[in-house]
Amino acid sequence: MSSSRLPTVTVSELGTHVGEAVSLRGWVYNHRSSGKIQFIILRDGTGFVQGVAAAGEAPDEVLETARTLTLETAVRMDGKVRRDSRAPGGYEIAVTGLEIVSRSSDYPITLKEHGVEFLMDHRHLWIRTPRQQSLLRLRAELVRALRDFLDDRGFVLVDSPILTPAACEGTTTLFQTDYFGERAYLSQSGQLYQEAAALALGRTYCFGPTFRAEKSKTRRHLIEFWMLEPEMAFVDLEESMRLQEEMVTYAVRRLLERRADDFKTLKRDTSALERVKPPFPRITYDEAVELVNRKGVPMEWGEDFGAPHETAISEEFDLPVFVHHYPSAVKAFYMKPDPDRPETCLSADLLAPEGYGEIIGGGQRIDDLETLEKRIAEHDLPAEAYRWYVDLRRYGSVPHSGFGLGLERTLAWVAKVDHVRETIPFPRLLHRIYP
RNA sequence: UCCUGGCUAGCUCAACGGUAGAGCAACCGGCUGUUAACCGGUGGGUUACAGGUUCGAAUCCUGUGCCAGGAGCCA
């Protein structure tokens, strides 16, 4: 890639090169011809820019080469940068040189509309479109913001294993694999290991993929999804909730500040996001049950919320809302019972606005040895596999809390996309593992 | 696993018991400011698959497969 002697720049840098001759590298997003004038929309990953090749202006060999362009042909395009209000993006290139790096023919994804199945079968190409690029950039920035928030507050990244010897929570279905003749499972949560980490380092977190072999098939479900799981020693439920609302607020701010263009591409009205700031509304499970019954989505005390209940609750607020003090029976075995009301536990879920469902689940953990052993027995969990976990209550146990944030659901809410499959590069869905 | 809807050209769809079509894409031609450009032309089909009803089935019936979004479960 050294045929041009002009400085190579990216589309995102064009604003600082107005009037200069530059060289761009990228792919043809679209090509239009009006006979003696041709327009080449080039994309390079940082943005889109229009190249113009007009008869009498551009060299004849450029006009010849441009005539043969097809969608997604890779090119090097040289030319002078100029401002032009007619051009998408505000700048255009008066093309003086055009070199084919590699031709593309019969590119499947045209500029017309496509169906879900077709796009999912071509996910490896779908991610080249502006909307999908924006979502991937937002995802990357969201991860960076969440990690910066925790790193800045003394949290240590401690990676939990992905291959595990036993169910973490013992409830959901796990993917089983062979570990040199032993049974092993793909992790459904890194939390238990974070509890060990937090008792070593104080405040820790893990961030990685988790796997649920459930036959869930809705716009909120992925088989493989990414979860951020902080865990904190000497921290109770209340303090954990405060950290959660600060973290979510920080992340939303960062996206608004740094990725405004992507929200524009997605046509996301950001006014709802501007309002996000602590404190988030909090209601108890008891209040939530009363609320949904009043709203005509009936349920009994003691049941867990279904998706319609979560939507009914979140509709009442224009911020994410905490629902806390769930009945112990609907939560994981390690949730600490409320000393004042032992049939409920010190747990809290954060429900996103606009019907996106639960984006955080968390709580204070059982720190008492006898209670934990009793719970493990009640849940018919294999005691041997949890021996190390129980050990944590044997050697210097302290009150501790943590939570798990689902990255894709959080992004689906922030970006306001209607299905989590667009918030992860290559989604693993029920009966879909290609590409 | 269950419920509901769908499957017709490369893509998005129409035709709803009587000769399978359109737009886009591809190919050929035209156009000096296009914005998913536009205009003219050409090629393109085992109507998901297997049976059945009928003089005649893309269309009606049965079964199978696949896709979608919802339930349950969850982040």
Side-chain angles (χ1 to χ4, degrees):
Chain A
M1 292 290 84
S2 56
S3 60
S4 170
R5 264 177 240 102
L6 299 170
T8 297
V9 301
T10 63
V11 172
S12 61
E13 297 165 339
L14 287 176
T16 60
H17 294 279
V18 177
E20 296 170 26
V22 299
S23 183
L24 292 159
R25 295 177 293 196
W27 296 264
V28 175
Y29 178 68
N30 197 8
H31 173 232
R32 284 185 284 266
S33 168
S34 178
K36 300 259 173 33
I37 183 166
Q38 299 183 66
F39 300 93
I40 303 154
I41 311 295
L42 183 86
R43 63 167 191 88
D44 74 346
T46 74
F48 294 74
V49 70
Q50 171 168 282
V52 183
E57 229 178 278
D60 285 349
E61 63 266 26
V62 167
L63 298 172
E64 265 315 301
T65 306
R67 233 186 296 283
T68 69
L69 289 179
T70 51
L71 296 189
E72 291 302 318
T73 284
V75 295
R76 174 182 277 279
M77 186 168 88
D78 298 342
K80 196 171 166 187
V81 185
R82 62 190 183 204
R83 280 209 173 79
D84 193 306
S85 57
R86 292 169 296 185
Y91 301 102
E92 66 180 21
I93 307 294
V95 183
T96 56
L98 188 64
E99 180 197 328
I100 306 286
V101 176
S102 167
R103 285 192 190 276
S104 161
S105 61
D106 295 323
Y107 186 67
I109 301 189
T110 65
L111 297 169
K112 294 287 178 178
E113 70 220 27
H114 296 286
V116 170
E117 185 178 7
F118 180 81
L119 289 171
M120 290 301 294
D121 284 341
H122 295 85
R123 180 63 179 171
H124 52 300
L125 304 176
W126 190 19
I127 55 177
R128 299 184 181 193
T129 61
R131 176 186 164 81
Q132 298 305 314
Q133 286 186 22
S134 283
L135 285 167
L136 294 180
R137 272 193 291 266
L138 282 168
R139 179 187 169 99
E141 185 59 37
L142 176 60
V143 170
R144 222 147 68 103
L146 292 167
R147 292 202 48 198
D148 281 352
F149 177 88
L150 294 171
D151 291 343
D152 290 349
R153 279 158 188 77
F155 283 76
V156 181
L157 174 69
V158 179
D159 303 309
S160 287
I162 288 171
L163 288 167
T164 57
C168 168
E169 307 187 0
T171 51
T172 51
T173 324
L174 298 166
F175 284 103
Q176 192 180 311
T177 185
D178 177 74
Y179 198 79
F180 307 110
E182 275 183 67
R183 263 209 297 271
Y185 304 90
L186 298 185
S187 172
Q188 57 169 200
S189 165
Q191 180 208 310
L192 267 44
Y193 294 97
Q194 288 309 301
E195 291 187 51
L199 297 190
L201 294 151
R203 295 177 160 219
T204 64
Y205 69 97
C206 64
F207 176 60
T210 52
F211 308 86
R212 304 275 165 95
E214 284 163 358
K215 305 217 165 174
S216 297
K217 188 178 168 58
T218 82
R219 65 182 68 202
R220 299 178 305 281
H221 284 91
L222 293 166
I223 302 301
E224 175 183 312
F225 66 98
W226 285 65
M227 196 152 59
L228 180 79
E229 297 180 280
E231 193 73 28
M232 300 156 282
F234 297 107
V235 164
D236 63 11
L237 176 65
E238 175 56 33
E239 192 179 338
S240 172
M241 287 161 72
R242 279 205 300 273
L243 187 94
Q244 290 167 45
E245 62 193 6
E246 278 169 32
M247 184 178 81
V248 169
T249 301
Y250 176 88
V252 167
R253 286 270 154 78
R254 270 272 291 265
L255 294 176
L256 289 172
E257 279 165 20
R258 299 195 185 183
R259 299 259 52 105
D261 287 353
D262 292 320
F263 284 118
K264 203 173 290 173
T265 300
L266 295 166
K267 298 188 171 69
R268 167 54 152 148
D269 174 8
T270 52
S271 57
L273 298 176
E274 315 270 0
R275 283 198 298 271
V276 174
K277 64 167 192 286
F280 294 170
R282 285 149 211 241
I283 61 173
T284 62
Y285 172 88
D286 297 357
E287 291 165 338
V289 171
E290 199 182 306
L291 171 66
V292 297
N293 278 297
R294 187 156 20 94
K295 291 194 71 179
V297 193
M299 65 176 285
E300 303 271 316
W301 195 97
E303 292 172 348
D304 202 356
F305 303 118
H309 302 110
E310 288 185 354
T311 303
I313 296 165
S314 65
E315 271 171 5
E316 296 295 298
F317 307 92
D318 58 2
L319 288 176
V321 54
F322 285 110
V323 180
H324 56 94
H325 287 82
Y326 281 77
S328 299
V330 303
K331 286 293 174 189
F333 73 94
Y334 48 72
M335 290 293 188
K336 185 177 174 72
D338 183 349
D340 299 328
R341 201 179 159 203
E343 72 274 21
T344 66
C345 60
L346 302 175
S347 60
D349 288 356
L350 186 66
L351 306 182
E354 304 174 58
Y356 284 95
E358 184 185 342
I359 55 173
I360 291 181
Q364 192 167 334
R365 324 304 190 188
I366 293 171
D367 47 60
D368 168 72
L369 178 64
E370 282 86 278
T371 310
L372 186 63
E373 284 179 327
K374 199 169 135 230
R375 281 292 159 82
I376 287 173
E378 282 168 5
H379 282 76
D380 283 324
L381 297 172
E384 180 56 22
Y386 288 90
R387 195 172 32 129
W388 68 268
Y389 183 68
V390 173
D391 260 1
L392 303 175
R393 278 70 183 172
R394 217 183 289 277
Y395 307 112
S397 186
V398 301
H400 62 289
S401 301
F403 58 93
L405 174 142
L407 188 74
E408 289 79 13
R409 280 192 188 175
T410 303
L411 181 55
W413 158 55
V414 171
K416 203 169 182 176
V417 299
D418 62 13
H419 199 300
V420 287
R421 66 177 162 231
E422 290 186 68
T423 64
I424 185 166
F426 293 94
R428 256 75 268 237
L429 298 159
L430 187 59
H431 303 137
R432 179 182 281 282
I433 196 169
Y434 176 92

